[in-house]
Amino acid sequence: MTTHADANALLAEIEGIGVDQHRGGYSRPVFSPAELELRGWFENHATARGLTVETDGNGILWAWWDVPDADDRSGAIVTGSHLDSVPGGGNFDGPLGVASALAAVDVLRDRGIAPGRPLAVAVFPEEEGSRFGIACLGSRLLAGAVEPDRVRALTDETGRSFADVASAAGFDPSTIGADADRLTGIAAFVELHVEQGRGLIDLGRPVALAGAIIAHGRWHVRIEGRGDHAGATRMADRQDPVVVAAETIRSLRVHTLVVDDARGTVGRITVTPGGTNVIASSVDLWMDVRHHSEEAVRRIVSEVTAGTERAADAEGCTVTVTEQSFSPTVSFDPALRDRMQAVLPDAPVLDTGAGHDAGVLAAVIPTGMLFVRNPTGASHTPAETAGAEDVAAGVDALADLLENLLTH
């Protein structure tokens, strides 16, 4: 065990940023004042450590610990995570990986490590997809997994486009897109993240390695009917999209439950116009479906879509289902995971049902992940947590791994 920098203290510094008084927890959507303040917090800490900070064309922050007298940054090792959150999220999902990366740099310096290759701490924007609907948006752009024109046209719930919001926040949306030159220079990316589930508490271990990320996707369902008066319109004369939406939600649960270990969620619904005494004119809802089998995910969505269309026909409504994003099952780089296992032989290997930037980047560079124990198992909620000793163990594990990657 080394004397490590205190990632817990770093997390304590941002406890007041983006507090959601209505939902509880934190709401830190990309390009919001809270997320921009967190970016500034990171830049200040990185600069104080002598790291060279840059923002690339996709809004990703890179804090570089360069090798003296090196001509380029080829063969770089990268770690980091994200700072944005879901609505009403916790303080560990994303920020733990960023704070732990900064702390790990301190540990390496305390050990007197002189890196043989560059190290970068990266912060990826819009990992949660809570503002523009596409999870891991920054890493998808970097990897060329999403078209820039599509991203520029994405809108948030207020109708503002990505391009407009990015410009207002000081970013140039014309520069977004694949960056093959940057990716070519990265030898490995390792992301530390708070555990999302109860694997480690049941195993009695503080840190795990990631095995795989199960396939998952998001679908936007728009149901259009006819708005009318709640008291003046007979039941038989209605074209009520809320009735169809109810069938969508019921059908998703039914079809997910019959597939072992599948997960199906409707966590967001918008009813227009939203009056208590008004029959809705439209409903927008979003489905999140996950399973180890990509085919099972698509089968569930197909069955739910068919059921929704039947309900819409019966009610006199119309339905449009749009795939917003889909991530196939990710198996992390086996050679890198073997190396991680050699450095951390006591760490179990756990699969995860949550998506991550490391999962997106796995298609183009070697990636791996560390998970830090979350005793509640809860995530995307203020109930997520990690004990101070486990956070410290995560920093040490990350530092051990980075030392191995930087010096061998």
Side-chain angles (χ1 to χ4, degrees):
M1 181 67 72
T2 65
T3 301
H4 55 75
D6 193 351
N8 294 289
L10 290 172
L11 291 171
E13 291 179 6
I14 62 174
E15 283 183 347
I17 301 175
V19 174
D20 193 319
Q21 300 293 346
H22 173 65
R23 300 182 180 93
Y26 299 89
S27 292
R28 299 160 168 167
V30 69
F31 302 140
S32 67
E35 195 252 6
L36 294 175
E37 186 176 353
L38 289 174
R39 291 171 67 94
W41 164 84
F42 171 77
E43 291 187 61
N44 289 339
H45 271 288
T47 301
R49 286 162 169 77
L51 306 181
T52 302
V53 181
E54 63 168 326
T55 303
D56 71 8
N58 292 311
I60 303 168
L61 281 165
W62 303 83
W64 289 96
W65 183 3
D66 288 314
V67 177
D69 303 321
D71 294 330
D72 58 32
R73 288 172 171 161
S74 61
I77 303 301
V78 181
T79 187
S81 194
H82 62 98
L83 292 170
D84 65 298
S85 79
V86 297
N91 194 33
F92 292 87
D93 186 347
L96 177 63
V98 175
S100 296
L102 291 171
V105 169
D106 292 341
V107 172
L108 294 175
R109 285 192 166 138
D110 288 345
R111 295 177 181 176
I113 299 301
R117 57 176 70 196
L119 170 69
V121 179
V123 176
F124 295 90
E126 185 68 331
E127 192 271 352
E128 298 292 4
S130 63
R131 184 161 193 174
F132 294 104
I134 298 181
C136 303
L137 186 57
S139 55
R140 287 181 192 274
L141 284 166
L142 174 65
V146 62
E147 288 296 325
D149 285 342
R150 178 191 174 195
V151 173
R152 282 186 278 266
L154 294 172
T155 56
D156 63 15
E157 62 182 8
T158 70
R160 297 180 68 196
S161 72
F162 177 95
D164 288 342
V165 173
S167 295
F171 300 91
D172 183 357
S174 70
T175 63
I176 63 174
D179 192 342
D181 289 341
R182 185 177 295 271
L183 289 169
T184 299
I186 299 174
F189 173 64
V190 178
E191 181 175 4
L192 180 146
H193 203 280
V194 69
E195 183 188 18
Q196 295 168 295
R198 287 184 49 86
L200 283 168
I201 189 65
D202 293 336
L203 293 171
R205 303 301 303 169
V207 177
L209 309 180
I213 299 176
I214 68 175
H216 61 282
R218 296 182 182 185
W219 287 263
H220 172 211
V221 181
R222 180 167 179 81
I223 307 164
E224 296 182 272
R226 189 187 71 231
D228 218 325
H229 193 289
T233 309
R234 298 184 307 171
M235 299 300 288
D237 296 334
R238 301 186 179 200
Q239 295 169 252
D240 188 346
V242 174
V243 173
V244 182
E247 174 57 26
T248 304
I249 297 167
R250 186 202 69 81
S251 179
L252 178 60
R253 185 167 181 83
V254 168
H255 289 296
T256 304
L257 281 171
V258 298
V259 179
D260 185 50
D261 208 31
R263 297 96 191 264
T265 305
V266 173
R268 180 181 169 200
I269 305 172
T270 301
V271 178
T272 303
T276 304
N277 58 347
V278 180
I279 300 168
S281 57
S282 65
V283 174
D284 293 274
L285 61 85
W286 287 261
M287 299 190 300
D288 180 302
V289 185
R290 311 185 186 214
H291 190 265
H292 285 277
S293 163
E294 299 168 29
E295 189 276 332
V297 170
R298 295 203 178 276
R299 184 175 68 251
I300 290 169
V301 173
S302 176
E303 290 169 339
V304 173
T305 298
T308 300
E309 290 173 343
R310 289 192 295 270
D313 288 342
E315 188 67 19
C317 296
T318 60
V319 174
T320 304
V321 179
T322 304
E323 180 180 300
Q324 289 193 315
S325 64
F326 184 80
S327 298
T329 299
V330 173
S331 295
F332 290 104
D333 186 82
L336 177 58
R337 189 168 68 242
D338 288 347
R339 191 164 177 178
M340 294 170 68
Q341 190 78 75
V343 175
L344 305 169
D346 294 331
V349 178
L350 298 177
D351 292 344
T352 179
H356 300 280
D357 291 307
V360 171
L361 295 177
V364 289
I365 58 174
T367 67
M369 291 193 71
L370 298 175
F371 296 130
V372 173
R373 178 165 50 194
N374 174 359
T376 67
S379 182
H380 285 182
T381 164
E384 77 179 12
T385 189
E389 291 185 358
D390 289 347
V391 170
V395 170
D396 284 330
L398 180 61
D400 290 345
L401 179 57
L402 294 176
E403 179 178 350
N404 179 275
L405 293 171
L406 290 168
T407 59
H408 292 79

